[in-house]
Amino acid sequence: MNQSKTTDDTSDIQNDLQAQVVDLQMSLAHLEVTVERLDDVITRQDRDIHTLQRQLQLIYKQIEGQDTESGIAPFDVMADRPPHY
């Protein structure tokens, strides 16, 4: 009877350990999927940021290349005073 109880205890411990290992493997698999998804998001965002930076550089170049005479002149408080001053 004592031998049977020891075998049952050992079997229970092994089953518990096996269940814990399975749980850990499932958790690890979910974490791997999450990391892959996050990596995809980061890659896409990095690509978008680089595209936006290039577009912003082009806009700056266009603004720098414009003549102030052909566009709207910047507002100057002293030059645009009303006549009653």
Side-chain angles (χ1 to χ4, degrees):
M1 171 115 173
N2 199 12
Q3 179 78 14
S4 174
K5 182 170 168 89
T6 305
T7 304
D8 289 341
D9 289 343
T10 303
S11 177
D12 288 342
I13 291 172
Q14 286 177 346
N15 288 338
D16 287 343
L17 288 174
Q18 188 173 14
Q20 289 176 359
V21 169
V22 169
D23 288 342
L24 286 172
Q25 288 173 335
M26 287 174 45
S27 295
L28 182 62
H30 288 294
L31 287 174
E32 287 175 345
V33 168
T34 302
V35 167
E36 287 175 9
R37 288 179 183 167
L38 287 173
D39 185 52
D40 292 342
V41 168
I42 290 171
T43 302
R44 188 180 70 246
Q45 288 178 345
D46 185 56
R47 189 173 47 245
D48 291 345
I49 287 171
H50 285 292
T51 301
L52 291 171
Q53 286 174 335
R54 284 192 303 268
Q55 290 174 351
L56 190 59
Q57 287 173 351
L58 290 173
I59 290 172
Y60 280 140
K61 286 180 183 179
Q62 286 178 350
I63 291 172
E64 287 175 356
Q66 286 181 346
D67 292 334
T68 56
E69 296 172 6
S70 65
I72 298 173
F75 180 74
D76 183 9
V77 175
M78 295 308 290
D80 294 333
R81 290 191 325 181
H84 61 274
Y85 281 113

